[in-house]
Amino acid sequence: MASTEFNKWIAFPHCNKPITDQTFVSVTVLKKPLLWNKEKIRIILLSSVEKTSIKDLDDFYQLISTFLMDETLQWRLIQNPKYEILKQIIQEINK
């Protein structure tokens, strides 16, 4: 299995197969960095894809991958770890 760290701030742990009844992402922004594997991360995106139906998840994966690769967006969330800021970031990515 590959590391779930993506850069110096973010980890994206996820199951290797669908196991839940709904697709979701749980977001945690840590006050203090946590040594994950090699990096001290501040954001954890825990995700799971639903098992009961096969949906078109292209938008979901596009949004997640954009956030995982953009340290500017990540830094905004770290600086202001509020739900409203996460919503703004998601809306910006979806434009």
Side-chain angles (χ1 to χ4, degrees):
M1 297 282 168
S3 174
T4 57
E5 293 172 339
F6 278 81
N7 60 38
K8 63 186 175 188
W9 288 323
I10 196 162
F12 183 55
H14 53 282
C15 299
N16 62 355
K17 62 182 179 179
I19 62 168
T20 55
D21 293 331
Q22 291 184 315
T23 298
F24 69 86
V25 177
S26 177
V27 180
T28 300
V29 180
L30 303 168
K31 290 181 181 179
K32 296 180 183 178
L34 172 71
L35 181 60
W36 192 262
N37 186 26
K38 295 178 183 175
E39 300 288 345
K40 291 183 178 179
I41 58 117
R42 296 280 306 274
I43 301 171
I44 303 169
L45 301 177
L46 175 63
S47 74
S48 183
V49 175
E50 68 185 76
K51 63 182 176 186
T52 56
S53 69
I54 299 173
K55 289 186 176 179
D56 181 12
L57 295 173
D58 289 343
D59 292 342
F60 170 76
Y61 288 121
Q62 181 63 43
L63 188 140
I64 292 292
S65 62
T66 300
F67 187 70
L68 289 172
M69 298 303 152
D70 192 329
E71 291 184 14
T72 304
L73 296 176
Q74 296 164 23
W75 184 244
R76 277 179 51 201
L77 185 59
I78 290 169
Q79 291 298 103
N80 196 357
K82 295 184 172 25
Y83 177 73
E84 293 78 20
I85 300 302
L86 179 60
K87 265 179 66 173
Q88 285 175 5
I89 291 169
I90 290 169
Q91 289 170 347
E92 288 173 24
I93 292 170
N94 279 330
K95 285 184 180 177

